[in-house]
Amino acid sequence: MAHLCRKGMGKKMLTAIVGINWGDEGKGRMVDLLSEGYGIICRYQGGNNAGHTVINDKGKFILNLLPSGILRDDTVNVMGAGMVIDLAHLCGEINTLEKQGVEITPERLKISDKAFVCLPYHIKQDILEEERLGDKKYGSTRRGIAPVYGDKYMKKGIRVGDLLDFDTLKSKLDDIVSWKNLTLKTELNDIMRWLNEYGTKIMPYIDDTTEYLQSAQKNGKGILFEAQLGALRDIDYGIYPYTTSSQTLAAYAPIGAGIPGAKLDKIIGVMKAYSSCVGEGPFTVEMFGNEADALREAGGEYGAATGRARRVGGFDVVASRYGVETQGADFLALTKLDVLSYMEKIPVCTAYEVDGVKTDRFPSGSKLMNAKPITEYLDGFKADVSKCRKMGDLPAAAVKYIEYIEKAVGCPIKYVSVGAGRDDYLIKD
Ligand code: GDP
Ligand code: MG
């Protein structure tokens, strides 16, 4: 492993690690593994609606806002311009990690002055709207993400850099609060108190991260871009409106990171050996009843950010191929193969039937709503694969499953993850 990572560093790679599916593919786990050799890890979109669980020699960590690279001592971690940051949540996350023995200093954590602040009124708005929607709700995490991105595009946002000048910030907010109060009841003084409490704590980390990343690039440092969620949740190319409110695609990584002129050298897609989906919207391969319970239990499919039970299903070739294409993945890390070990037969959705017509293209809108899965069954491997460390250790049926998926989505699988721990993986040769 080490030689592969150092090769990455030697070539001064700009690499993105992104999700191929609906999110929760194990990106945090792969960033933790592959960040060795990269000096800088950068989150480029989203907020604390993310939940990345990482288990390594230091313990078990749940990261919502901080890049997963924070768990390696020799890294600098950047929260990029494309992010939305709830300051209170960030202070809490920093506290928790410090209690777990992770040192977080302004040398190791840099927050873009261009990232947007998620304020308490954004959370209020998010909750009010989900409740108003009732049965038609989008499945928001209720963390204020859609309202804060909405305000950004309405040009009514507060940026992290605004915290450095409280007087100007207060007059900007005064104006925004009277606008908000057309639909909401919120108090300028309450917001100023909140900003005072949490804003001052994160001030030491605020930086012109564009300048920092540009000079790191000039000095030939490797940068790893960490995405949140997956291709199917991208605001433009995902299952709108059951998407998140930001761009989860690799193409956006340089923009969201703060170096829009940079070109990625490598895109690693993280893809799960079966499907899971948090929230509402069409999920063609969804299992129900006992079948779903068994897979959910085997995979521990409960949201890291919210604790919500995730919807689960078999591997979806149609959706995953679309994910691979939209991400432009060079190769894949297939995760959670071990979870399938209990299955006699492994279901794989190879095509959809839409209005009586078979298709292998991922549809959108009402066509996707009406899509029915066409399922094939592969032989189960019925063996514990969690200790396998090379392809030769895997049962023949597991190898067949991996090769089948690889061919079906049209992208090479390079890593196969067989457990949540940092070293629980093998390289597919
Ligand atoms: P992310 O949002 O893409 O970072 O993924 P999450 O952390 O939300 O969800 C992945 C979950 O699966 C986490 O609890 C990981 O610890 C766990 N995990 C990751 N890879 C594997 C694997 O190969 N096998 C098993 N059993 N668990 C894994
Ligand atoms: Mg997650």
Side-chain angles (χ1 to χ4, degrees):
M1 180 62 236
H3 74 280
L4 277 171
C5 294
R6 284 198 199 99
K7 202 159 85 187
M9 188 168 72
K11 284 187 184 163
K12 317 301 178 210
M13 288 278 192
L14 297 190
T15 300
I17 296 191
V18 295
I20 295 299
N21 311 118
W22 293 260
D24 303 320
E25 300 91 346
K27 293 174 296 297
R29 177 254 184 286
M30 290 313 297
V31 170
D32 178 62
L33 172 64
L34 300 176
S35 52
E36 187 191 13
Y38 288 88
I40 302 165
I41 321 301
C42 181
R43 263 279 299 270
Y44 63 86
Q45 43 79 227
N48 59 318
N49 51 335
H52 299 169
T53 304
V54 176
I55 300 169
N56 58 29
D57 47 0
K58 290 201 176 106
K60 178 175 177 179
F61 304 90
I62 294 175
L63 301 161
N64 301 133
L65 281 164
L66 293 167
S68 303
I70 200 83
L71 304 175
R72 284 197 188 268
D73 297 334
D74 52 356
T75 55
V76 175
N77 293 268
V78 175
M79 297 173 66
M83 287 192 74
V84 291
I85 302 172
D86 176 334
L87 304 176
H89 193 94
L90 179 59
C91 288
E93 201 170 318
I94 291 174
N95 248 330
T96 307
L97 257 71
E98 281 180 336
K99 278 195 200 125
Q100 286 184 280
V102 180
E103 202 192 357
I104 302 180
T105 60
E107 285 70 43
R108 295 202 58 227
L109 175 65
K110 297 184 186 297
I111 305 173
S112 170
D113 53 0
K114 294 189 182 64
F116 282 79
V117 179
C118 182
L119 286 145
Y121 55 68
H122 292 125
I123 299 170
K124 255 192 221 170
Q125 275 184 292
D126 204 354
I127 294 171
L128 281 174
E129 176 58 3
E130 277 290 285
E131 279 171 7
R132 186 192 70 82
L133 282 167
D135 288 350
K136 290 179 286 187
K137 65 182 190 291
Y138 297 148
S140 164
T141 50
R142 301 176 179 225
R143 301 270 162 106
I145 308 300
V148 65
Y149 274 114
D151 282 4
K152 164 177 167 170
Y153 288 101
M154 298 273 278
K155 294 171 284 184
K156 302 277 191 215
I158 296 293
R159 302 214 280 190
V160 170
D162 293 331
L163 297 171
L164 300 174
D165 175 358
F166 255 66
D167 289 338
T168 316
L169 171 64
K170 189 171 179 187
S171 73
K172 257 190 205 174
L173 259 174
D174 193 18
D175 193 48
I176 294 172
V177 163
S178 63
W179 175 67
K180 282 282 164 203
N181 281 343
L182 296 175
T183 51
L184 215 66
K185 188 88 202 86
T186 195
E187 281 285 338
L188 178 62
N189 287 339
D190 290 347
I191 300 167
M192 290 310 295
R193 260 197 300 280
W194 186 89
L195 285 167
N196 243 316
E197 178 170 0
Y198 300 109
T200 39
K201 283 195 188 120
I202 74 137
M203 254 179 223
Y205 304 106
I206 303 173
D207 212 333
D208 179 347
T209 53
T210 293
E211 192 186 356
Y212 172 75
L213 290 174
Q214 276 170 343
S215 83
Q217 239 194 314
K218 275 193 201 115
N219 294 326
K221 292 214 171 112
I223 304 175
L224 189 63
F225 301 99
E226 176 180 11
Q228 173 224 22
L229 295 168
L232 304 170
R233 295 292 188 221
D234 182 85
I235 181 86
D236 294 310
Y237 297 92
I239 307 167
Y240 189 86
Y242 304 102
T243 57
T244 194
S245 302
S246 63
Q247 290 85 352
T248 61
L249 298 183
Y252 185 74
I255 299 175
I259 40 173
K263 290 180 183 61
L264 292 174
D265 297 302
K266 197 164 61 174
I267 298 169
I268 305 173
V270 184
M271 187 171 83
K272 194 134 111 177
Y274 54 94
S275 301
S276 75
C277 156
V278 173
E280 307 299 316
F283 183 42
T284 313
V285 292
E286 184 161 17
M287 290 174 177
F288 298 94
N290 294 344
E291 196 188 14
D293 292 343
L295 182 51
R296 187 178 303 111
E297 287 311 312
E301 295 298 343
Y302 297 91
T306 58
R308 286 191 287 185
R310 295 174 182 153
R311 297 157 75 191
V312 292
F315 187 81
D316 185 333
V317 171
V318 181
S320 301
R321 195 192 301 115
Y322 177 78
V324 166
E325 283 166 1
T326 47
Q327 291 289 16
D330 293 305
F331 58 83
L332 301 169
L334 184 72
T335 56
K336 305 193 85 160
L337 182 73
D338 54 302
V339 172
L340 301 181
S341 65
Y342 75 93
M343 289 183 177
E344 293 287 343
K345 291 275 177 194
I346 309 176
V348 177
C349 167
T350 53
Y352 291 173
E353 189 190 304
V354 180
D355 304 329
V357 180
K358 185 177 167 182
T359 178
D360 61 2
R361 296 291 301 168
F362 189 64
S364 63
S366 59
K367 283 199 160 62
L368 182 60
M369 288 282 190
N370 297 329
K372 294 187 184 65
I374 297 174
T375 307
E376 283 180 22
Y377 290 87
L378 272 68
D379 287 339
F381 35 94
K382 295 291 288 174
D384 177 9
V385 295
S386 63
K387 304 283 179 301
C388 297
R389 294 293 174 268
K390 51 185 192 311
M391 285 299 278
D393 297 342
L394 289 172
V399 175
K400 220 169 156 189
Y401 183 70
I402 296 166
E403 288 174 347
Y404 181 94
I405 282 180
E406 182 175 58
K407 193 160 168 242
V409 301
C411 184
I413 292 172
K414 187 159 167 184
Y415 301 96
V416 179
S417 175
V418 291
R422 185 182 275 172
D423 297 323
D424 301 339
Y425 73 98
L426 49 101
I427 292 175
K428 183 176 172 299
D429 26 55

